[in-house]
Amino acid sequence: MGNIGKKIKKIDSEAITLGKPIYTEDLAIKNTLCVKLLRSPHANAIIKSIDKSRAERTVGVEGVFTYEDVPKNRFCMAGQTYPELSPYDRLLLDKHVRYVGDPVAIVVAADEKICNRALNLIKVKYEVLEPLLDFEKSETSHIKVHSEEDGTFFKGSKDFVKYDLSKNIVGEINKVFGEDPEKTFEDSPVKIEEEYTMQEQAHSMMETYRSYSYYDHLMRLTVITSTQVPFHIKRQLSVALGIPASKIRIIKPRIGGGFGGKQTSVTEIYAAFATMKTGKPCMIKLSRKENYIASNTRHKMKVKVKIGAEEDGRINVIDLDALSDQGAYGEHGFTTLGLVGDKSLPLYNKLKSARFHGKVVYTNKVPGGAFRGYGATQGCFAVESAVNELAKKINMDPSKLRLKNITKEGETTLAYNQNILSSKLEECILKGRKLIGWEEKYPSKVLSNGNIRSVGMAITMQGSGIANIDTSTVNIKLNEEGDFSLLISATDNGAGADTVLSQMAAEILKCNIDDIITISADTDITPYDPGSYASSGVYVTGGAVVRAANKLKRNILKEASEKTGIYFGDMDLNKGMIMTNTGKEVMSLKDLAEELSSGAEGKTIMGSGSFGSDTSPPPYVAGFAELETDILTGQVKVVNYVAVVDCGTVINENLARVQVEGGVVQGIGLALYEDVVYSKEGRLLTDEFLQYKIPTRKDIGELTIDFQESYEPTGPFGAKSIGEVVINTPAPAINGALLNGIGTQFSKLPIKAEHVLKKIIGY
């Protein structure tokens, strides 16, 4: 039918464009109660007393709840598949508050105005403690953010996670591949030793965190929420609230952006608790400020890199040592740390040795969480910046240095033992060079106004789902009029997963995409899927769609065979018809479906398919940045950015292209704009769009996006992921362009004009 590779518009684009009621807040009924949280003004404190009496007496207030009123069940808010490796370190409300913004009390009232009035009437006395704000001092600090005595526990074994709460360690990883890394480094004639720090990054999605809950007609707790992980939310609520999972239903409507942030539950627990206490529909909606101070961020990390190489550019060893700032609660800490090495070291495969060591530690700051790139972004910045330093040191073109060392299709990587079945990374680099005009522009030139034009590059990889962990099930049925219902639990974040998955189903069923009704995601109706994270939508859920559609097709043809006597293998589907393989019409799907919708022989024909994989095939990107640096002000402008992507088969080029454009701009924001500043007391100061700068379209010059398709044999139609990998290259490519332009790179992000100017003038 040609649905694969077709530029089909998003199936929900019209509703979004016309402002239809499709988001969480749109679906709340009139007179839904408002839920607001009183939040801690201190980064580390013990609540000595709370007087809520005046708040409770406020007209319109339905309830005020403190740590004394909530279940005492420890839980984890990370949306991760079993076995969860994040600590169970949270209570719904705790007597010990651990960062500025930690909830202290829950107010439920008729509207937001009354809630705010009641919040101001709650009087809290704190014993203010010294906060732990420097993650480099966390391990040796006398301040302990959590302890086993307070009830914090891990489901992962201590031997594997290597947590040590007495040293604020959430987890530790040490992996060595090949020969002794120390000896290999010492024996290498060229040595690079650098240290890079990537700051936290706020998701800044347009739709802030929000959830709406109510009891249905069977008195089951139903939560409509803007989430990426509905099934994980169901499990978390069951644990935290102490109610059977069978009494909970999670519905995901449209999502106004997530970027990984909504892989962590933030608001669901409070709306659900409020409904449990009042018996009424309740809704919580975070303000923009709360979205910054009381959700989660990208993990701040410092990564030390050692590269040993030959004088001709062959890289012998890459040795990484990372320290990750987890903040006050441990969601995604250990797993994010793991991807620093897992998604950067396998890029290079002429290695004799590789090592990744890392620790993630608690502090009294906004918790770290899942963010597009999930550790690969931090690892890529460090490794690729160091590779650019190596190129400079041996006076070698950095693109040629990479071509000499990268992993090729068909190879098994030394680091992490990955079998690479599909890769066009080499072609991505070559195409990127051509598109940006590398031969003419490398390394730099001085413009007539004195400004410097320079180019730099980086490469990256990610995964496609989590090998041996992620699994998805999809159901498809033939409806009574001959159309199809596709039931999936992948959670489209706005990027078009529902459309792409529908294209796959339509391709196998040989129908138009308009013949597919996509239903997603409702834990009562749609089958299990871990959700949208780890770049799993196209690869993992797509794999399940392919299997389910093929089963449905087979079941339809078998039914037609019983009615006509024609062997089912001699028939196929085509545009709503059942045809023989010789092209003769047998019957229409509509006729078959109508016949099956009545009588003693009636039935619904369905297909169900599940997919999980023992591999996580990497997509690749080669990114090239062209900068103009103002030598009088230090201002850096990205005048052109080229990204060439190998995501396997491109299912829908329009949707893939906007994914890449969005990721690249978000990566440029991380490199040049998005700064996170805390006060000395631990209060986040960059808590509004006015303070936390994200780039607008006017800040970015030309974006050139292209694809170099490979064919991944384990993927649906040869496809791999694309959602996360696209954010990784801008920071190291921009850093590399500065190295080629002004002669120096920067060890910390964001790279601000004042930092650049100081380097230019030698200050």
Side-chain angles (χ1 to χ4, degrees):
M1 286 295 292
N3 284 294
I4 302 302
K6 202 170 182 179
K7 298 176 180 177
I8 294 173
K9 71 175 183 180
K10 284 181 68 196
I11 58 177
D12 55 356
S13 58
E14 186 172 336
I16 292 172
T17 305
L18 296 176
K20 299 292 185 184
I22 54 176
Y23 295 97
T24 296
E25 189 176 4
D26 300 329
L27 304 178
I29 66 171
K30 189 178 180 182
N31 297 325
T32 292
L33 295 177
C34 176
V35 180
K36 298 285 285 185
L37 303 178
L38 180 69
R39 298 188 180 278
S40 170
H42 305 294
N44 190 17
I46 303 295
I47 298 172
K48 305 303 291 183
S49 66
I50 301 180
D51 180 358
K52 60 180 183 178
S53 57
R54 291 183 65 198
E56 288 179 317
R57 291 197 299 270
T58 302
V59 174
V61 168
E62 294 271 342
V64 180
F65 307 98
T66 71
Y67 70 90
E68 295 175 323
D69 306 311
V70 301
K72 307 305 180 194
N73 305 320
R74 290 272 167 190
F75 61 98
C76 162
M77 294 170 80
Q80 292 179 308
T81 301
Y82 180 85
E84 292 171 312
L85 297 174
S86 295
Y88 280 52
D89 55 9
R90 285 186 182 266
L91 292 171
L92 184 53
L93 296 172
D94 199 340
K95 188 177 183 180
H96 186 174
V97 287
R98 294 178 171 85
Y99 72 101
V100 176
D102 215 354
V104 172
I106 303 168
V107 173
V108 188
D111 58 35
E112 186 172 358
K113 188 175 180 181
I114 297 172
C115 271
N116 288 331
R117 191 183 308 148
L119 287 174
N120 290 327
L121 295 174
I122 301 172
K123 301 303 177 188
V124 186
K125 290 184 178 178
Y126 298 94
E127 177 188 355
V128 180
L129 307 174
E130 179 186 356
L132 173 56
L133 301 176
D134 186 345
F135 74 125
E136 294 185 67
K137 297 177 180 176
S138 181
E139 194 172 347
T140 57
S141 174
H142 65 280
I143 303 165
K144 309 304 173 194
V145 180
H146 291 275
S147 69
E148 294 187 49
E149 289 71 30
D150 70 18
T152 292
F153 68 94
F154 291 71
K155 285 195 171 183
S157 73
K158 192 165 189 175
D159 287 343
F160 183 67
V161 181
K162 293 183 172 57
Y163 58 86
D164 185 349
L165 297 183
S166 69
K167 297 179 180 177
N168 291 310
I169 297 173
V170 183
E172 181 176 1
I173 297 170
N174 189 37
K175 290 183 175 293
V176 178
F177 308 95
E179 301 175 8
D180 180 353
E182 292 289 348
K183 184 174 186 308
T184 308
F185 180 75
E186 290 303 321
D187 290 346
S188 296
V190 182
K191 298 178 178 64
I192 297 291
E193 284 192 77
E194 297 291 342
E195 187 175 276
Y196 300 95
T197 300
M198 180 175 283
Q199 78 280 31
E200 301 95 333
Q201 186 179 21
H203 301 87
S204 302
M205 69 288 282
M206 289 298 100
E207 183 195 33
T208 63
Y209 296 90
R210 56 198 60 198
S211 304
Y212 162 57
S213 68
Y214 60 92
Y215 279 121
D216 68 10
H217 63 291
L218 299 176
M219 292 306 292
R220 296 173 70 238
L221 187 60
T222 302
V223 181
I224 299 175
T225 184
S226 182
T227 180
Q228 297 174 224
V229 287
F231 282 91
H232 293 319
I233 297 294
K234 178 181 175 181
R235 174 169 46 83
Q236 291 168 7
L237 294 188
S238 176
V239 171
L241 300 176
I243 57 178
S246 62
K247 298 295 183 184
I248 301 171
R249 177 184 184 185
I250 307 296
I251 300 171
K252 177 212 71 75
R254 294 291 91 188
I255 302 175
F259 308 117
K262 291 171 181 174
Q263 192 190 340
T264 301
S265 58
V266 172
T267 51
E268 293 85 356
I269 186 74
Y270 303 106
F273 175 76
T275 292
M276 284 179 62
K277 299 301 286 187
T278 64
K280 299 178 181 179
C282 294
M283 181 165 180
I284 182 169
K285 180 177 64 175
L286 296 196
S287 66
R288 181 59 60 186
K289 184 183 289 287
E290 286 179 300
N291 222 58
Y292 279 113
I293 69 167
S295 58
N296 55 87
T297 70
R298 183 186 298 284
H299 290 80
K300 180 178 182 178
M301 286 193 200
K302 175 175 281 188
V303 183
K304 298 177 182 176
V305 188
K306 293 167 69 175
I307 295 180
E310 301 295 326
E311 292 176 347
D312 66 358
R314 172 179 168 141
I315 299 175
N316 295 326
V317 57
I318 304 177
D319 190 351
L320 304 180
D321 191 354
L323 182 65
S324 176
D325 186 348
Q326 179 56 50
Y329 295 97
E331 290 93 16
H332 301 281
F334 182 75
T335 43
T336 302
L337 179 69
L339 263 63
V340 174
D342 189 21
K343 303 306 179 191
S344 59
L345 293 176
L347 277 168
Y348 298 100
N349 209 33
K350 302 299 182 287
L351 302 172
K352 298 176 181 175
S353 175
R355 175 165 62 185
F356 174 67
H357 175 259
K359 292 179 182 177
V360 52
V361 294
Y362 282 120
T363 58
N364 291 116
K365 295 161 67 179
V366 177
F371 199 119
R372 190 182 208 172
Y374 205 83
T377 312
Q378 294 92 323
C380 176
F381 173 59
V383 171
E384 291 301 289
S385 293
V387 169
N388 284 329
E389 286 285 355
L390 172 63
K392 186 78 172 179
K393 190 167 187 175
I394 61 176
N395 194 28
M396 187 174 184
D397 182 325
S399 65
K400 294 178 180 176
L401 175 62
R402 289 176 169 90
L403 289 170
K404 189 182 185 73
N405 286 281
I406 57 171
T407 302
K408 304 286 182 63
E409 184 174 292
E411 293 183 356
T412 299
T413 62
L414 174 75
Y416 298 91
N417 195 37
Q418 297 181 13
N419 295 319
I420 306 301
L421 302 179
S422 60
S423 174
K424 295 296 182 187
L425 179 56
E426 180 177 357
E427 291 83 351
C428 289
I429 295 172
L430 295 172
K431 183 179 281 189
R433 279 172 50 100
K434 186 175 181 182
L435 288 172
I436 204 160
W438 185 265
E439 290 289 347
E440 300 80 37
K441 297 175 181 175
Y442 172 78
S444 64
K445 66 177 180 181
V446 179
L447 304 180
S448 58
N449 61 3
N451 290 347
I452 298 172
R453 280 281 181 104
S454 59
V455 291
M457 69 159 299
I459 59 174
T460 189
M461 61 181 284
Q462 197 82 34
S464 300
I466 306 173
N468 297 310
I469 291 180
D470 283 344
T471 187
S472 172
T473 297
V474 166
N475 294 332
I476 311 180
K477 64 174 183 173
L478 175 65
N479 294 325
E480 71 284 356
E481 292 292 325
D483 56 343
F484 303 96
S485 288
L486 172 66
L487 285 78
I488 56 176
S489 293
T491 49
D492 190 332
N493 296 325
D498 287 355
T499 305
V500 168
L501 296 171
S502 298
Q503 284 181 253
M504 292 182 180
E507 182 70 14
I508 292 171
L509 297 171
K510 296 188 176 179
C511 64
N512 292 317
I513 194 170
D514 290 340
D515 296 323
I516 305 285
I517 303 165
T518 304
I519 301 170
S520 168
D522 181 333
T523 57
D524 270 12
I525 299 172
T526 55
Y528 178 79
D529 187 292
S532 288
Y533 61 87
S535 296
S536 61
V538 167
Y539 182 73
V540 178
T541 309
V545 167
V546 169
R547 290 182 176 179
N550 276 320
K551 283 187 180 179
L552 174 61
K553 178 180 172 181
R554 182 183 177 92
N555 291 340
I556 291 171
L557 297 180
K558 280 188 170 181
E559 190 67 30
S561 177
E562 289 184 11
K563 294 184 180 302
T564 63
I566 303 173
Y567 176 57
F568 77 93
D570 291 335
M571 294 184 287
D572 203 349
L573 304 180
N574 188 22
K575 299 180 181 178
M577 293 296 298
I578 299 172
M579 312 278 292
T580 67
N581 291 339
T582 58
K584 182 180 177 182
E585 291 185 356
V586 177
M587 65 174 67
S588 71
L589 275 176
K590 181 177 173 60
D591 289 342
L592 175 64
E594 287 181 348
E595 188 176 332
L596 292 173
S597 64
S598 62
E601 302 297 323
K603 67 175 75 170
T604 296
I605 305 178
M606 301 183 68
S608 182
S610 298
F611 182 82
S613 179
D614 60 1
T615 185
S616 176
Y620 297 97
V621 177
F624 294 77
E626 181 179 2
L627 309 183
E628 182 168 332
T629 304
D630 189 322
I631 61 167
L632 297 179
T633 66
Q635 191 73 39
V636 173
K637 170 82 174 179
V638 179
V639 295
N640 189 13
Y641 199 92
V642 171
V644 184
V645 183
D646 165 17
C647 58
T649 301
V650 180
I651 304 296
N652 186 322
E653 185 178 330
N654 280 352
L655 298 182
R657 185 175 299 279
V658 296
Q659 280 262 47
V660 182
E661 289 174 347
V664 166
V665 172
Q666 202 168 29
I668 292 172
L670 178 66
L672 297 176
Y673 298 90
E674 300 182 39
D675 199 7
V676 174
V677 180
Y678 281 88
S679 71
K680 63 180 181 181
E681 293 83 17
R683 187 170 73 84
L684 183 65
L685 301 176
T686 45
D687 57 2
E688 294 279 4
F689 279 141
L690 282 175
Q691 288 79 38
Y692 188 82
K693 303 294 187 184
I694 59 175
T696 67
R697 188 62 188 89
K698 286 187 174 180
D699 296 313
I700 309 297
E702 187 176 350
L703 290 177
T704 305
I705 309 300
D706 210 334
F707 299 93
Q708 188 67 49
E709 290 186 307
S710 62
Y711 187 88
E712 171 55 39
T714 68
F717 303 100
K720 300 185 284 189
S721 75
I722 192 170
E724 292 186 276
V725 69
V726 292
I727 196 174
N728 296 338
T729 60
I734 288 169
N735 214 15
L738 286 166
L739 178 65
N740 296 329
I742 64 172
T744 185
Q745 288 199 104
F746 295 82
S747 61
K748 294 182 180 179
L749 297 180
I751 303 167
K752 296 182 176 179
E754 54 264 38
H755 303 150
V756 176
L757 186 59
K758 284 181 179 179
K759 292 285 186 180
I760 291 173
I761 64 177
Y763 177 75

